[in-house]
Amino acid sequence: MKPTVEIFDMTTEELIQTVEIPSAYMNQLAALMNWTKPEDFCFVYDLLPQQIKTIEEWTHTTIHGDNRIIQIVCLE
């Protein structure tokens, strides 16, 4: 399972970027997202500004911006 941030253009809903979260952060990610059960990883979640900031620090990537939908998913 690979937690991945997907960034979409808010107007066109086109996928414009994906950012994979390193597996070393799985425990911190679960705490950040308040995931308590294994099935919590299976859904799509919109990210809050503080969650985005933390993930940017982990991945050394800028993902915030105007006119964006930013979600986290777990891919196989």
Side-chain angles (χ1 to χ4, degrees), residues 19-64:
V19 177
E20 189 174 319
I21 299 172
S23 59
Y25 291 101
M26 289 299 288
N27 290 336
Q28 293 98 318
L29 178 62
L32 178 70
M33 298 301 298
N34 200 29
W35 293 339
T36 58
K37 298 173 275 192
E39 58 267 18
D40 290 341
F41 284 83
C42 300
F43 299 100
V44 175
Y45 298 91
D46 291 333
L47 292 172
L48 301 173
Q50 184 56 45
Q51 293 167 324
I52 292 169
K53 181 179 177 186
T54 300
I55 292 170
E56 286 178 328
E57 291 170 4
W58 292 344
T59 61
H60 308 287
T61 306
T62 300
I63 58 176
H64 70 279

